Amino acid sequence: MKNDAEHKGIGIGIAPGVAIGPAFIIEQSGVPVPEYDIPSVQVEKELKRLHGAIAKVQKHLAQVRQKAESLPAGAEDMTLLLDAYKGMLSGSRLVRGVEEIIAKQRVNAEAAIQKQIGALKAGFAAMNDPYLAARADDVGEVGNRLIRALLQQNYNPFADAPEGCVILAEEITPADAALMSPGRVAGFATVLGGAEGHAAIMARALGIPAISGVGALTHGIRTGDTIIIDGRKGEIIARPDAVTLQHYRQEVSRKKQEDRRLKGLRDVPAVTVDGKDISLQANMELPRDVDAVLESGAVGIGLLRTEFMFMNRPSLPDEDEQYHALRKMIEKLGGMQLTIRTLDVGGEKLASALGEAVGESANPALGLRAIRLGLKQPKLLDAQLSAILRASMHGSVRILIPMVSSVAQMHAVRARILQAERRLHRRGIKLKGLPPLGAMIEIPSAALMADALAKVCDFFSIGSNDLTQYTLAIDRGDERVAELYNPFHPAVLRLIQFTAAAGWRANIPVSLCGEIAGDARATALLLGLGLRELSMSPLRLPAVKNEVTQVALPHAAEFAERIMNKTDEVEIMTMLKERFAGTKR
Ligand code: PEP
Ligand code: MG
């Protein structure tokens, strides 16, 4: 029976704002499947690929099931279905058939899955039973999940999304988020993913309202149903009634007005009440962010996440390709300083082209990630360093190293930069000088060693997202512990304060480029802790500038001191909110 009643779901808000639009449900279907022959010596390898994909899909299904269990309604249907999928992945006719096709017909695993699905579906159809017809769909669904896991590289799941739609999906990876355009996607809701995961950061950067952690997300919702996403409250409403719709439409137009007002601050200098300049810079995820950066009034790029160059592609970019991409960006930014962070993949940020170089890890966030990977795979790092050095001849550039945990790593990186310079020299490319080299302070060991690191760094950039994750031992991308993730935890604030002080003592610039830099409630506190450079999503910059212009540094210092005397997170949050509520907007 068709149910048209309003239907609400609750998750966690990961990107603020309200989106209203037709539902576009992303299913794991429609994946284009490559087919090729394999030599008999590769059969073993192909079977291994298949089993790797099975393990991956099983893990994903287990995650979704765990989420589904905490649902108020529709949970049984969903868990039953997920259990059925799981059953099809171990010793089933599907898996056995695929193994046989790979071994006998010697074709790649994706093609073998496709063939076996076809055979099973034909068998079900011949029995002419509606129950079995539904089972045939389930087999197809499981097969498609396997194919997608095997392909690793993401096809564009949004290619057919209608203009202004709200995407509903089990999971949106950072690579998926990079494919979304705000004109086309009004908002999204997912089952998996925490507020500080990279997909969430991208959604905020793109200004796309989003929520995650919604169980039974698509239960009772059809593609095309009107959906409202409230990215602040973490709410999803399907088929809203007239009163609800009216309320949220007003909310959207109020937000538009507020954005227009804040945009007026673009050319206003970021100067405190007592006349101190604060450097407000932008974080960039994708080259297309340049327009938003120029509109925001940012004075530089405090963080360019270079991961975009490695995402959604089957092969790695070489030095030349990276150089041209960076040079183009530098030219578009017209003289602004660009802080280029070297590749930070691994953990939750995956680049399929790196494939086995990164590999599976029991603890990806603690594994082969960022500069650890770069130093283990020097070719990867060297190509990027050479590209950055060449790009630095066209403008003001700084090099930023992610996930630094020791002084020795900075020595090793500097040695590789000098080597890259010599190699370029031999190729006839003569640099005028080397760009400043800085470390991300985002691991507690780096923060605690800030004095020593300051001696081997030209600048610091505090990554409060990871610093929070590693200090509190909370996975930033896991919605189940999201309520424990708090960058205003006194332990995290102490490490930020300690790092800022070490930077002052060594007379090197210290920036903060984690998400709290763009949280206007935190501005006075961060200035009070000694920070004078903040780098954030360009969309958040005007609101932060508004705060800067209303703060006097001595008051900020006094406020920070009061906060640092507190040990209770709730009390700290209340103080930040109360202070923020008292400023003029
Ligand atoms: C951080 O960790 O705070 C940071 C800015 O880097 P990322 O979010 O890319 O890990
Ligand atoms: Mg980080």
Side-chain angles (χ1 to χ4, degrees):
M1 200 179 61
K2 198 163 173 264
N3 175 10
D4 285 326
E6 179 173 301
H7 167 80
K8 264 191 196 175
I10 285 283
I12 45 174
I14 60 173
V18 168
I20 306 176
F24 185 73
I25 301 176
I26 304 276
E27 282 159 336
Q28 315 279 318
S29 56
V31 194
V33 181
E35 178 167 353
Y36 48 85
D37 294 334
I38 53 164
S40 51
V41 288
Q42 264 194 29
V43 165
E44 269 313 302
K45 203 170 158 205
E46 205 56 22
L47 288 171
K48 222 169 129 191
R49 272 187 78 223
L50 171 70
H51 292 130
I54 291 175
K56 214 165 160 182
V57 174
Q58 276 171 331
K59 190 169 152 195
H60 183 77
L61 289 175
Q63 276 180 312
V64 180
R65 194 189 188 287
Q66 198 164 19
K67 183 88 261 167
E69 274 169 0
S70 55
L71 304 177
E76 309 84 65
D77 288 357
M78 194 173 176
T79 48
L80 278 176
L81 190 63
L82 292 168
D83 287 343
Y85 289 174
K86 196 171 155 229
M88 284 181 218
L89 286 168
S90 48
S92 64
R93 273 172 66 196
L94 173 67
V95 175
R96 282 196 313 274
V98 174
E99 287 168 342
E100 215 173 288
I101 294 172
I102 294 176
K104 290 199 177 138
Q105 301 183 22
R106 288 198 221 111
V107 289
N108 59 313
E110 296 90 335
I113 294 168
Q114 183 92 323
K115 284 171 193 260
Q116 180 63 4
I117 294 175
L120 290 173
K121 276 191 169 180
F124 284 135
M127 292 179 215
N128 203 12
D129 173 327
Y131 174 79
L132 290 177
R135 298 289 72 73
D137 286 345
D138 294 346
V139 171
E141 168 73 20
V142 171
N144 280 326
R145 283 171 188 258
L146 281 176
I147 292 173
R148 198 167 180 214
L150 277 163
L151 286 171
Q152 283 188 353
Q153 91 217 31
N154 295 316
Y155 69 105
N156 187 342
F158 316 120
D160 300 324
E163 195 100 349
C165 66
V166 174
I167 305 252
L168 308 183
E170 254 169 32
E171 184 175 24
I172 297 283
T173 65
D176 290 335
L179 296 170
M180 282 185 188
S181 85
R184 179 158 240 178
V185 176
F188 69 81
T190 61
V191 179
L192 302 174
E196 302 308 323
H198 211 66
I201 291 177
M202 286 227 186
R204 292 197 284 269
L206 292 167
I208 297 178
I211 67 174
S212 72
V214 192
L217 177 62
T218 54
H219 191 78
I221 300 180
R222 295 163 301 250
T223 283
D225 280 356
T226 299
I227 301 287
I228 298 173
I229 297 278
D230 184 334
R232 195 161 295 286
K233 284 201 226 144
E235 212 168 69
I236 175 171
I237 304 167
R239 299 178 298 273
D241 62 28
V243 177
T244 310
L245 197 56
Q246 167 76 355
H247 167 79
Y248 278 101
R249 283 201 177 126
Q250 276 169 358
E251 185 77 358
V252 170
S253 79
R254 199 194 51 72
K255 172 79 172 48
K256 274 194 187 140
Q257 250 174 21
E258 169 74 357
D259 285 351
R260 269 198 296 275
R261 194 185 70 75
L262 287 172
K263 256 191 192 152
L265 290 174
R266 192 184 85 159
D267 299 321
V268 172
V271 176
T272 58
V273 171
D274 52 330
K276 298 288 184 310
D277 275 322
I278 304 300
S279 174
L280 298 186
Q281 306 193 17
N283 291 355
M284 272 181 72
E285 321 293 320
L286 300 168
R288 64 178 146 139
D289 295 342
V290 168
D291 294 339
V293 167
L294 296 175
E295 268 178 35
S296 72
V299 296
I301 306 298
L303 170 66
L304 171 68
R305 292 182 165 104
T306 54
E307 291 78 74
F308 75 88
M309 286 194 245
F310 295 75
M311 282 178 187
N312 294 312
R313 50 181 297 154
S315 60
L316 295 171
D318 62 12
E319 177 196 314
D320 262 353
E321 186 183 336
Q322 295 186 57
Y323 159 66
H324 287 295
L326 293 172
R327 178 176 172 178
K328 206 161 136 196
M329 207 173 278
I330 290 168
E331 284 164 356
K332 275 197 176 165
L333 287 168
M336 270 190 206
Q337 186 179 62
L338 176 62
T339 305
I340 304 173
R341 186 174 72 181
T342 58
L343 186 60
D344 184 9
V345 288
E348 47 119 28
K349 304 172 194 165
L350 292 174
S352 47
L354 281 164
E356 285 167 13
V358 178
E360 283 281 315
S361 163
N363 258 322
L366 305 181
L368 195 55
R369 210 193 127 171
I371 194 56
R372 301 166 180 189
L373 176 69
L375 290 172
K376 272 251 160 68
Q377 305 266 332
K379 272 198 192 140
L380 189 71
L381 180 62
D382 289 350
Q384 193 170 34
L385 290 174
S386 298
I388 298 174
L389 291 182
R390 284 170 65 192
S392 75
M393 295 168 78
H394 304 281
S396 169
V397 161
R398 303 196 295 181
I399 303 178
L400 179 58
I401 308 299
M403 297 285 295
V404 171
S405 58
S406 73
V407 171
Q409 284 173 327
M410 289 310 291
H411 283 309
V413 171
R414 207 177 277 276
R416 298 218 79 85
I417 292 177
L418 292 170
Q419 227 176 56
E421 183 195 22
R422 284 196 293 275
R423 265 199 307 271
L424 289 174
H425 194 87
R426 285 200 292 277
R427 284 162 52 192
I429 303 170
K430 297 189 180 69
L431 305 173
K432 286 193 212 85
L434 290 175
L437 174 65
M440 288 285 295
I441 305 295
E442 53 184 346
I443 296 183
S445 64
L448 294 166
M449 294 281 289
D451 276 316
L453 276 168
K455 295 199 176 96
V456 296
C457 289
D458 303 314
F459 68 99
F460 283 158
S461 189
I462 301 175
S464 52
N465 308 337
D466 276 314
L467 193 57
T468 306
Q469 156 164 270
Y470 295 121
T471 305
L472 305 181
I474 288 160
D475 184 340
R476 60 191 266 195
D478 187 339
E479 70 288 344
R480 290 164 301 170
V481 284
E483 79 280 5
L484 295 172
Y485 180 98
N486 180 8
F488 301 115
H489 187 293
V492 180
L493 295 180
R494 276 167 171 71
L495 291 176
I496 293 175
Q497 182 181 43
F498 193 74
T499 305
W504 274 88
R505 281 193 295 275
N507 201 19
I508 61 167
V510 181
S511 166
L512 188 146
C513 64
E515 289 297 283
I516 55 170
D519 185 342
R521 296 171 310 180
T523 307
L525 168 64
L526 296 177
L527 298 183
L529 291 177
L531 290 157
R532 299 293 177 264
E533 266 182 44
L534 300 173
S535 188
M536 65 206 80
S537 155
L539 300 182
R540 296 175 144 208
L541 198 140
V544 171
K545 191 188 274 184
N546 193 41
E547 283 299 297
V548 167
T549 58
Q550 295 184 57
V551 172
L553 288 184
H555 289 152
E558 182 263 334
F559 177 62
E561 198 180 322
R562 278 196 290 126
I563 293 259
M564 296 310 282
N565 283 330
K566 302 287 175 201
T567 50
D568 180 50
E569 293 169 63
V570 178
E571 209 178 334
I572 290 175
M573 227 32 247
T574 308
M575 284 171 74
L576 291 176
K577 282 184 191 159
E578 278 174 359
R579 191 189 179 288
F580 183 65
T583 53
K584 270 191 263 119
R585 264 176 297 278

